[in-house]
């Protein structure tokens, strides 16, 4: 039996997301988690230059019953830095990373939770490339880049993931909190994958999820330089790190 007090920590890094952050928080707030899990939401604003800070503070005032911890970086420090900061504050049994841009659907938390709550998994990746859920059709070369990075990562880790770069990764908090993470930008994805793959006996699962991708005009931020950094991170954290 699962204790009623078990909790999911939802870490939301945000940078210039004033158009979507309130909608994201609405969706997170409305989700009912299986096994009566509680929710703990941790939002880290990476020194946004738009109205993100004001929107989040207003949201807190308007929803005083919502468990929302808000942190703001004094200077723009990157997504990976914000995620690390969120992990340090997490008190839940499980932890998931939620982007603030609505590319990923909080209604699907339960899909990722099932393998962990049924004690099959320690880590669950939400794959945009498997399953029958909706996927927005966007950039050919971006998808090739994602698959290439996943292929390189799999070669180095000996995992058979279909989507290493996914934004939806769910962890037992006791596992992710013990990993010494270094990357401050988008290198978080290959770094954390390399480091969890080295944990003896780790059970990693993957489930198909929806993907409501954004164009660059709609605010997408990752670019080809981040792809090069990902290749560097795959080599560094798999081959040259203990």
């Amino acid at each position: 039996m699962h204790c009623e007090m078990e909790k999911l920590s939802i870490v939301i890094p945000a940078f210039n997301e004033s158009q979507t952050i309130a909608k994201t928080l609405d969706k997170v707030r409305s989700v009912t988690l299986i096994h009566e899990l509680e929710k703990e939401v941790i939002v880290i604003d990476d020194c946004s230059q738009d109205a993100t800070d004001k929107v989040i503070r207003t949201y807190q005032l308007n929803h005083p019953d919502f468990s929302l911890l808000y942190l703001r970086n004094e200077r723009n420090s990157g997504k990976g830095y914000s995620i690390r900061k969120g992990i340090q504050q997490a008190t839940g049994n499980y932890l998931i990373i939620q982007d603030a841009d609505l590319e990923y659907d909080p209604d699907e938390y339960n899909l990722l939770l099932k393998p962990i709550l049924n004690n099959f998994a320690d880590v669950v990746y939400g794959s945009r490339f498997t399953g029958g859920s909706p996927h927005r059709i966007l950039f050919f070369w971006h998808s090739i880049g994602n698959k290439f990075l996943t292929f390189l990562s799999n070669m180095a880790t000996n995992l058979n993931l279909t989507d290493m770069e996914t934004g939806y990764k769910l962890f037992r908090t006791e596992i992710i909190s013990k990993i010494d993470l270094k990357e401050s930008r988008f290198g978080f994805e290959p770094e954390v994958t390399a480091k969890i793959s080295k944990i003896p006996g780790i059970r990693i699962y993957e489930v198909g999820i929806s993907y409501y991708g954004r164009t660059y005009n709609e605010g997408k931020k990752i670019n080809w330089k981040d792809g090069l950094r990902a290749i560097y991170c795959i080599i560094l954290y798999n081959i040259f790190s203990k």
Side-chain angles (χ1 to χ4, degrees), residues 9-207:
S9 297
I10 301 157
V11 175
I12 308 179
F15 176 64
N16 289 350
E17 300 291 3
S18 61
Q19 299 299 309
T20 58
I21 185 65
K23 293 174 190 169
T24 300
L25 291 172
D26 278 342
K27 294 211 76 166
V28 170
R29 193 165 55 91
S30 68
V31 171
T32 300
L33 299 177
I34 55 175
H35 291 229
E36 299 182 350
L37 254 63
E38 295 181 1
K39 283 175 282 192
E40 167 187 72
V41 180
I42 305 165
V43 179
I44 306 94
D45 176 20
D46 195 17
C47 198
S48 294
Q49 304 304 303
D50 65 358
T52 299
D53 177 62
K54 182 181 177 185
V55 172
I56 297 168
R57 291 183 189 279
T58 302
Y59 198 93
Q60 276 186 308
L61 288 172
N62 291 339
H63 303 91
D65 59 331
F66 184 43
S67 175
L68 172 55
L69 173 64
Y70 175 47
L71 308 167
R72 179 172 161 86
N73 298 336
E74 290 182 7
R75 59 177 178 270
N76 182 253
S77 301
K79 180 181 178 181
Y81 177 89
S82 297
I83 290 171
R84 288 205 308 270
K85 199 168 175 178
I87 291 169
Q88 289 166 4
Q89 297 292 326
T91 63
N93 308 77
Y94 316 103
L95 183 145
I96 193 167
I97 295 144
Q98 169 71 54
D99 288 350
D101 56 14
L102 288 177
E103 287 194 336
Y104 299 89
D105 185 357
D107 284 336
E108 299 183 340
Y109 289 164
N110 289 325
L111 291 177
L112 284 89
L113 279 166
K114 277 180 185 175
I116 283 190
L117 293 177
N118 291 333
N119 202 27
F120 291 115
D122 302 306
V123 179
V124 182
Y125 280 38
S127 173
R128 297 165 290 178
F129 305 126
T130 60
S133 300
H135 305 87
R136 183 174 178 183
I137 301 303
L138 281 174
F139 311 110
F140 172 75
W141 289 111
H142 193 84
S143 66
I144 292 293
N146 269 335
K147 287 171 183 174
F148 175 68
L149 292 175
T150 296
F151 175 75
L152 274 187
S153 176
N154 285 345
M155 281 180 65
T157 59
N158 198 28
L159 301 175
N160 64 336
L161 294 167
T162 64
D163 191 6
M164 178 274 292
E165 286 280 316
T166 178
Y168 260 3
K169 293 179 172 72
L170 174 68
F171 308 89
R172 292 186 188 273
T173 307
E174 62 185 350
I175 290 172
I176 189 67
S177 61
K178 288 177 185 167
I179 294 175
D180 182 20
L181 295 164
K182 306 285 190 189
E183 289 299 304
S184 289
R185 278 183 56 79
F186 294 100
F188 168 81
E189 316 295 357
E191 179 190 9
V192 77
T193 303
K195 290 180 174 178
I196 63 166
S197 75
K198 294 179 181 182
I199 298 172
I202 192 84
R203 299 171 302 169
I204 304 168
Y205 271 63
E206 197 175 57
V207 297

